[in-house]
């Protein structure tokens, strides 16, 4: 069972209170972008076995979106943080590297 | 506004009592909860301060609950709701905020008795043990398959709010969970 701390209301929310929103920190490509960029934005995902950044919504709760860094292999949660964050903040990267010294962002 | 509540005060008697709470005035305020104007509007309408994260404050005629970082639920007498909404909407006319009367969109339940916490705990992914969940906290969660908000409204009494459209479902699961003989005795 996945349990994430919602940074918006402070609740330790179990998976059944949450709605998944897919990969976080996607760059949106719209009108004026190339076909390749738009295809990448729509379809191409990291899908890693390991560290992953995700969007979640506290649907059965405060209703807010937030972001989580976790390991898709072990279900270990490194951090949850504000959805209004264009890239993983330093404290999240530090929390990941403390447990995965060999990991890097562009893996 | 509706003249009858969702289940017209249905009651399931037992060692744990389940009761639909009848007509209650409920108002949703959305806006910047740190704004002085919002705080003043809440104070003028209810006599209460804006509660902190996940808190619910109760006065003589009203309660105010923190529902999310930009949302409050104000509970007043049913016949007071239209006037309270009008007064708050006027006070916040120039503010980026909305005030809505949601009385008819919701249903209120009370579950009371020595095993009331357990009856609700069986339905929600929340630690309702007295050491973890106390008076003054508003917890939004789910009850079985539907969203709900839970708070402690007395010794051995919990109040719950859900959408009116699922009131009968919620009454049914509460009645089943609270049935005599279904006590777990772990709290
Ligand atoms: Zn939340």
């Amino acid at each position: 069972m996945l349990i994430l701390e919602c940074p918006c209301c402070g609740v330790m929310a179990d998976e059944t209170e949450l709605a998944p929103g897919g990969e976080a920190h996607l760059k949106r490509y719209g009108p004026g972008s190339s076909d390749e960029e738009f295809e990448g934005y729509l379809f191409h995902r990291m899908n890693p076995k390991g560290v992953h950044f995700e969007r979640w919504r506290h649907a059965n709760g405060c209703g807010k979106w937030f972001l989580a860094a976790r390991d898709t292999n072990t279900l270990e949660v490194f951090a949850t943080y504000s959805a209004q964050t264009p890239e993983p903040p330093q404290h999240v990267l530090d929390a990941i590297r403390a447990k995965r010294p060999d990991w890097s962002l562009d893996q | 506004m509706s003249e009858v509540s969702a289940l017209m005060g249905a009651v399931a008697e037992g060692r744990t009592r389940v009761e639909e709470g009848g007509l209650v005035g409920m108002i949703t305020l959305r806006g910047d909860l740190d704004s002085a104007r919002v705080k003043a509007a809440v104070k003028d309408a209810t006599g209460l301060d804006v509660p902190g994260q996940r808190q619910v404050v109760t006065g003589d005629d009203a309660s105010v609950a923190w529902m999310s970082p930009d949302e409050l639920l104000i509970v007043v007498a049913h016949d007071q709701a239209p006037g309270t909404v009008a007064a708050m909407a006027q006070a916040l006319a120039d503010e980026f905020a909305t005030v809505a009367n949601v009385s008819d969109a919701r249903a209120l339940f009370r579950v009371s008795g020595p095993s009331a916490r357990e009856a609700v705990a069986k339905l929600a992914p929340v630690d309702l043990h007295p050491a973890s969940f106390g008076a003054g906290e508003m917890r939004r969660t789910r009850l079985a398959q539907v969203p709900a908000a839970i708070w402690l409204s007395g010794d051995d009494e919990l109040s719950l709010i859900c959408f009116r459209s699922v009131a009968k479902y919620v009454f049914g699961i509460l009645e089943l969970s609270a049935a005599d003989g279904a006590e777990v005795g772990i709290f």
Side-chain angles (χ1 to χ4, degrees), chain B residues 163-175:
Chain B
F163 289 118
R164 184 182 180 120
S165 55
V166 294
K168 196 161 188 186
Y169 170 80
V170 167
F171 186 81
I173 54 175
L174 287 172
E175 185 179 25

Side-chain angles (χ1 to χ4, degrees), chain A residues 6-14 16-17 58-64, chain B residues 30 53-54 66-71 125-126 137 139-142 146-147:
Chain A
C6 173
C8 304
C9 71
V11 155
M12 294 299 288
D14 97 14
T16 64
E17 280 191 11
H58 196 184
N60 285 316
C62 70
K64 297 296 181 190
Chain B
R30 298 203 79 144
Q53 187 184 62
R54 295 207 314 281
W66 188 99
M67 301 300 271
S68 90
D70 58 3
E71 180 181 353
V126 180
E137 178 168 357
R139 180 62 155 86
R140 294 180 75 178
T141 180
R142 65 178 174 88
V146 297

Side-chain angles (χ1 to χ4, degrees), chain B residues 82-141:
Chain B
T84 305
V85 168
M88 292 181 76
Q90 193 171 26
L92 295 172
D94 297 327
E95 180 84 10
F96 185 65
T98 56
V99 184
N101 187 344
V102 296
S103 307
D104 292 343
R106 311 276 173 84
L108 172 77
F109 292 91
R110 279 185 285 271
V111 183
S112 56
S115 300
R117 280 176 185 264
E118 277 194 0
V120 177
K122 280 187 268 181
L123 301 167
V126 180
D127 182 1
L128 292 179
H129 189 281
S132 306
F133 187 80
E137 178 168 357
M138 173 62 100
R139 180 62 155 86
R140 294 180 75 178
T141 180

Side-chain angles (χ1 to χ4, degrees), chain A residues 9-50:
Chain A
C9 71
V11 155
M12 294 299 288
D14 97 14
E15 207 173 319
T16 64
E17 280 191 11
L18 302 168
E23 187 176 319
H25 305 304
L26 296 179
K27 182 175 177 191
R28 185 164 185 266
Y29 289 94
S33 63
S34 69
D35 286 353
E36 288 72 26
E37 285 168 337
F38 191 56
E39 184 200 14
Y41 163 61
L42 278 186
F43 300 116
H44 294 180
R45 297 295 179 265
M46 301 290 281
N47 195 28
K49 181 181 179 183

Side-chain angles (χ1 to χ4, degrees), chain B residues 8 33 96 117 183 185:
Chain B
M8 296 193 274
L33 303 187
F96 185 65
R117 280 176 185 264
E183 297 94 339

